[in-house]
Amino acid sequence: MALRWRTGSRSRSQLAAMHWSDDPSRVLDHLCMFGPADKDIHE
């Protein structure tokens, strides 16, 4: 799963919806190597 969000296969809203132990908003834009997807991706 980490490979998918690291390569930009998840949108910012999909990343935020993952189970986090704390508020992830500060790091969401830095998680993806190529930036998050512009829209939700459903596989």
Side-chain angles (χ1 to χ4, degrees), residues 12-31:
R12 196 172 196 284
S13 64
Q14 287 174 310
L15 290 171
M18 296 172 75
H19 297 283
W20 297 93
S21 61
D22 199 4
D23 179 14
S25 60
R26 296 181 302 151
V27 299
L28 289 179
D29 292 329
H30 305 286
L31 293 176

